Amino acid sequence: GRVACDANGTLTAAEFDFGMDHGGYSWGGDDKMTKPARFVFFPYMVPHAAGLVRVANTNHNFGVAYRSYGSPQAYTLSEALMDMLAEKAGIDPFEFRWRNIARPGDTNINSYPYRVYPMEEIMRKMKPFYERAMKEAREQDTPELRRGIGLAWGGFNVTRAGGYADNATVALELNPANPFTKFDTWQDVGQGGDIGSLMVTLEALKPLGVTPDDIRLGQNDTKLCPDSGMSAASRSHYMNGNATLIAAEKLMNAMRKPDGTYRTYDEMVKEGIPTKYEGIYETTATAGLCRLDPNTGIGDPTPAYTYALNLAEVEVNTKTGKTRVIR
């Protein structure tokens, strides 16, 4: 990969070429290929970019999808290039990134706007940590134990592969005893699907002043629960959460009296008002979502992104080569 900037340290162009050994099977190969093409130089503004991403099926072990698959490889390239170019331009690496993060109106590497622009605020929050780390590194750096500071932006798409056509359904029910039951299929595969479902429900029903004890979860029973979709690719919090907001709004609207207070279960039944409501969230409602064009790299297949700025403080023993991450 290569990247260029002008005399002011503003990025002007980038070029990259990714090759992936996918092993003997092809599951997920297409989606894996789009990840470097979407997250290299995320979340910067690069006005001109040319890239190629290739995948090969070989007789090696099958490659599977782990967390944020494809994006760590992209950041390993682009963040290293950002540091190298900052050094060449004689600009502090934090300042160099500050000058080049995308701001409202800027587009991503695929020529579409970032969904939200938290980059400046994230960097403002990180700056005092960076300055403290730099000060300590200079004070404690010795020829035998070198101290270094590393910065790296990161992020990932929210929703699964094909997020431009994703959907999730949940249900909320008002009960006579335990106040509320949440029905969904937020499968717990080690990530805490039960706690995730509980927290988005608490947030959705916040106007009612609910507590965790007020909510019972009915999860993953296909006889009782609507289909909330797969628990993968960072999608459940976003998809299930939005569906929960929709269901909660329906339920609270039904419970709300003209004076603004809320009906009890008995009052709902007495007035013949249903006590259970479904919420359906579909990404097709998000305008403009589409696949990446395989020839141009232009496209917008995800309704939301995550954003992260990482800082590492590192010590290297120059005699042994041993590296220690301090913080």
Side-chain angles (χ1 to χ4, degrees):
R2 297 187 295 175
V3 65
C5 69
D6 61 20
N8 296 319
T10 302
L11 295 178
T12 55
E15 190 176 52
F16 58 89
D17 185 347
F18 285 93
M20 291 178 286
D21 180 347
H22 200 262
Y25 302 90
S26 61
W27 181 87
D30 292 344
D31 194 44
K32 277 190 173 183
M33 282 194 292
T34 70
K35 292 304 189 289
R38 292 164 67 184
F39 293 104
V40 63
F41 293 103
F42 179 98
Y44 302 111
M45 172 57 184
V46 183
H48 305 287
L52 179 64
V53 182
R54 297 172 284 180
V55 64
N57 292 113
T58 70
N59 63 349
H60 296 159
N61 288 338
F62 171 39
V64 297
Y66 286 102
R67 303 315 304 149
S68 301
Y69 57 96
S71 66
Q73 293 85 344
Y75 301 130
T76 299
L77 171 70
S78 56
E79 287 300 300
L81 287 174
M82 291 293 286
D83 281 332
M84 294 164 70
L85 189 55
E87 184 177 15
K88 192 170 185 179
I91 301 171
D92 174 84
F94 189 97
E95 172 63 24
F96 190 72
R97 286 171 170 82
W98 173 260
R99 296 183 190 185
N100 287 290
I101 50 174
R103 291 170 170 89
D106 291 340
T107 56
N108 60 27
I109 199 84
N110 309 115
S111 302
Y112 275 80
Y114 291 88
R115 291 291 171 192
V116 293
Y117 293 80
M119 300 76 150
E120 282 193 355
E121 183 63 20
I122 290 173
M123 291 202 75
R124 286 192 186 99
K125 290 182 183 297
M126 180 67 86
K127 191 172 184 181
F129 294 94
Y130 176 78
E131 290 175 343
R132 187 265 309 154
M134 288 292 287
K135 180 175 181 292
E136 288 186 11
R138 291 189 184 100
E139 292 172 351
Q140 299 179 29
D141 182 59
T142 68
E144 295 79 25
L145 293 174
R146 301 306 310 272
R147 289 287 294 267
I149 306 300
L151 279 170
W153 268 102
F156 200 55
N157 60 279
V158 174
T159 73
R160 58 176 172 80
Y164 47 84
D166 200 359
N167 61 81
T169 306
V170 307
L172 285 174
E173 183 174 18
L174 178 64
N175 305 308
N178 286 338
F180 300 96
T181 303
K182 163 78 174 295
F183 298 94
D184 67 10
T185 56
W186 193 332
Q187 302 87 0
D188 191 335
V189 292
Q191 88 288 15
D194 52 350
I195 298 301
S197 182
L198 176 64
M199 292 308 295
V200 297
T201 307
L202 283 170
E203 186 66 25
L205 295 175
K206 208 170 190 176
L208 300 179
V210 295
T211 68
D213 292 335
D214 294 328
I215 298 167
R216 184 171 64 87
L217 297 178
Q219 292 189 288
N220 310 320
D221 184 332
T222 56
K223 182 179 180 180
L224 302 175
C225 302
D227 184 5
S228 308
M230 65 165 67
S231 294
S234 308
R235 70 173 289 280
S236 292
H237 186 88
Y238 178 81
M239 296 298 298
N240 195 305
N242 276 296
T244 304
L245 287 172
I246 294 169
E249 183 178 15
K250 290 181 178 179
L251 177 57
M252 289 188 295
N253 284 343
M255 293 173 63
R256 193 176 293 110
K257 297 178 182 179
D259 64 2
T261 61
Y262 293 94
R263 294 177 176 90
T264 64
Y265 173 84
D266 290 336
E267 289 173 327
M268 297 277 281
V269 172
K270 185 177 181 180
E271 295 182 44
I273 302 172
T275 57
K276 186 176 182 179
Y277 294 85
E278 281 194 348
I280 304 173
Y281 182 73
E282 298 178 295
T283 57
T284 49
T286 306
L289 289 181
C290 57
R291 290 178 181 268
L292 289 192
D293 185 297
N295 297 309
T296 66
I298 293 174
D300 191 22
T302 185
Y305 293 103
T306 60
Y307 302 80
L309 180 58
N310 308 279
L311 184 148
E313 301 175 56
V314 181
E315 177 187 83
V316 179
N317 187 312
T318 56
K319 291 183 179 179
T320 66
K322 183 177 181 180
T323 301
R324 182 169 71 95
V325 178
I326 296 166
R327 295 189 186 92

